[in-house]
């Protein structure tokens, strides 16, 4: 029997992965935060995935963190700010050859997780798939996309990528995953905070081209200094292309703020500013953007970290 997929976090991406793996007949177990969440899940009878308007429910077995069974493969599907603590609680259950797949957006949480489980192999992912929860234990597959996976310290692809083929999860093994994560972080820093501060859809930034261009200049400088020149390549052109192509969309940060949810700012703009400070770089527009965003979040009574 193939190695079970333990999925930590039954939110949007966790459900999107768990249901597709289960549909392919692969063994999947869902790890929930406490017995109350487990009871709620069991009462619902499984995870529901809504795809092209069709809802299907999968009775993926659930368990809590305290279950004693060892874990060999763990898909970490929490938000970036929850990942480290959630994994630390599971550390005693990890088998000596455990592998973790980290789905978190941004940077910073991957290193924090890896430090908590030094013996495990940690594989980072960068995904353009989109999903959102429209009810308890129910997720809508909103945007088909692609997932890149990679391990900066060990370029050989794991054999279980076959499971992703079987589950029809579009993916590719990447030998430059850090470059991909930095590029995505830079795109996010140039677009998402401004959509919050200007209260607009992505397309609204077409009215703020100068501000976007200045930020792209500073972000490119930062990427070069971090040894990521490929991530800096034509950054401004790509930011402009994304703004145009997704003009009607609200950014994920905009949606978090509008729904009064905590943002992942510390792992996106916050991480960029921390790394700039570490390199003693003066990036005034980036750090002003961070201050403006923090003030905005505080004024709305939302966490600013
Ligand atoms: P989400 O819907 O908020 O799901 C996160 C889940 O983690 C929640 O179900 C939460 O449980 C669970 N969780 C947190 N701490 C836990 C713990 N200690 N033990 C067990 N479960 C725990 O988040 P998401 O949208 O899937 O995002 C996950 C990551 O993927 C983020 O970094 C995000 O930026 C990235 N991402 C998301 C998308 C997308 O379309 N959604 C696309 C690309 C990347 P409760 O339900 O009990 O709170």
């Amino acid at each position: 029997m193939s190695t079970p997929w333990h999925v930590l976090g039954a939110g949007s991406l966790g459900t999107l992965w768990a249901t597709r793996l289960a549909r392919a007949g692969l063994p999947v177990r869902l790890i929930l935060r406490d017995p109350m969440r487990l009871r709620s899940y069991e009462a619902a009878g499984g995870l529901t995935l809504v795809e092209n308007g069709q809802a299907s429910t999968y009775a993926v077995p659930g368990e809590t963190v305290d279950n004693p069974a060892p874990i060999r493969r763990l898909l970490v599907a929490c938000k970036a700010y929850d990942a480290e603590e959630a994994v630390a609680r599971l550390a005693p259950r990890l088998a000596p050859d455990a592998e973790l797949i980290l789905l978190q957006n941004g940077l910073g949480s991957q290193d924090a997780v890896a430090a908590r489980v030094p013996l495990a192999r940690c594989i980072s992912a960068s995904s353009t798939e989109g999903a959102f929860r429209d009810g308890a234990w129910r997720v809508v597959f909103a945007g088909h996309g692609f997932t890149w996976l990679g391990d900066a310290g060990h370029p050989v692809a794991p054999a279980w990528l076959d499971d992703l083929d079987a589950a029809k999860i579009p993916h590719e093994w990447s030998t430059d995953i850090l470059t991909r994560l930095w590029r995505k972080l830079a795109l996010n820093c140039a677009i998402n905070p401004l959509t919050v501060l200007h209260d607009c859809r992505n397309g609204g930034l077409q009215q703020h081209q100068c501000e976007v261009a200045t930020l792209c200049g500073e972000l490119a400088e930062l990427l070069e200094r971090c040894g990521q020149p490929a991530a800096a390549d034509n950054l401004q052109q790509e930011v402009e292309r994304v703004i145009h192509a997704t003009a009607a969309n609200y950014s994920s940060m905009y949606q978090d703020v509008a729904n009064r949810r905590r943002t992942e700012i510390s792992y996106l703009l916050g991480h960029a500013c921390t790394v700039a400070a570490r390199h003693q770089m003066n990036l005034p527009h980036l750090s002003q953007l961070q201050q403006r965003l923090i003030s905005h979040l505080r004024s709305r009574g939302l966490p600013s970290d």
Side-chain angles (χ1 to χ4, degrees):
M1 171 143 161
S2 56
T3 302
W5 285 80
H6 282 87
V7 176
L8 174 62
S12 307
L13 274 202
T15 299
L16 191 56
W17 279 63
T19 50
R20 287 179 295 177
L21 291 164
R23 182 166 64 190
L26 293 159
V28 186
R29 298 192 63 86
L30 206 57
I31 303 179
L32 302 164
R33 54 169 93 233
D34 55 38
M36 206 170 87
R37 294 292 283 154
L38 180 58
R39 277 196 297 278
S40 157
Y41 172 66
E42 285 173 345
L47 291 174
T48 299
L49 181 67
V50 183
E51 200 175 358
N52 304 322
Q54 288 275 353
S56 310
T57 300
Y58 301 86
V60 175
E63 64 184 43
T64 62
V65 174
D66 303 320
N67 184 302
I71 296 172
R72 291 185 61 203
R73 188 177 304 143
L74 180 67
L75 182 75
V76 182
C78 309
K79 293 283 197 191
Y81 46 76
D82 281 327
E84 182 185 355
E85 274 314 304
V87 168
R89 284 184 64 197
L90 282 177
R93 290 182 58 187
L94 295 181
D97 59 348
E99 292 180 288
L100 277 64
I101 299 102
L102 309 176
L103 290 180
Q104 288 60 51
N105 208 354
L107 279 160
S109 69
Q110 298 87 347
D111 284 348
V113 166
R116 291 291 192 127
V117 289
L119 299 182
R121 183 182 191 192
C122 289
I123 288 165
S124 299
S126 177
S127 182
T128 59
E129 292 194 315
F132 64 88
R133 297 197 253 188
D134 79 336
W137 314 109
R138 192 181 144 101
V139 164
V140 179
F141 194 174
H144 289 261
F146 206 81
T147 302
W148 286 269
L149 300 131
D151 174 353
H154 186 59
V156 178
W160 48 255
L161 291 182
D162 288 353
D163 283 9
L164 305 192
D165 287 328
K168 298 193 168 57
I169 297 175
H171 68 279
E172 191 177 289
W173 182 252
S174 166
T175 49
D176 59 359
I177 192 70
L178 266 181
T179 303
R180 287 201 175 274
L181 289 166
W182 267 113
R183 177 72 160 194
K184 193 171 178 211
L185 181 148
L187 288 164
N188 186 300
C189 289
I191 298 174
N192 294 22
L194 287 179
T195 63
V196 172
L197 294 169
H198 293 301
D199 191 15
C200 65
R201 295 173 198 261
N202 290 355
L205 298 186
Q206 282 157 344
Q207 314 304 316
H208 301 277
Q209 272 180 351
C210 264
E211 206 175 2
V212 171
T214 311
L215 285 174
C216 287
E218 291 191 357
L219 285 162
E221 222 183 295
L222 174 65
L223 293 169
E224 300 267 358
R225 183 70 74 87
C226 296
Q228 293 293 339
D233 211 26
N234 289 324
L235 180 63
Q236 187 184 333
Q237 283 93 321
E238 191 172 353
V239 167
E240 284 168 3
R241 187 192 62 73
V242 171
I243 288 173
H244 184 73
T246 62
N249 298 358
Y250 285 110
S251 74
S252 54
M253 191 177 275
Y254 182 99
Q255 292 178 46
D256 282 342
V257 174
N259 291 305
R260 306 202 52 75
R261 289 190 300 248
R262 183 174 172 186
T263 69
E264 293 184 302
I265 174 178
S266 295
Y267 302 88
L268 297 160
L269 182 56
H271 184 79
C273 291
T274 304
V275 173
R278 201 182 295 150
H279 286 286
Q280 298 177 326
M281 293 178 78
N282 180 28
L283 301 175
H285 295 88
L286 208 58
S287 75
Q288 251 175 43
L289 183 69
Q290 185 190 28
Q291 288 319 314
R292 284 163 65 200
L293 186 59
I294 287 175
S295 304
H296 181 87
L297 295 173
R298 285 192 182 141
S299 73
R300 304 207 32 157
L302 291 170
S304 58
D305 62 346

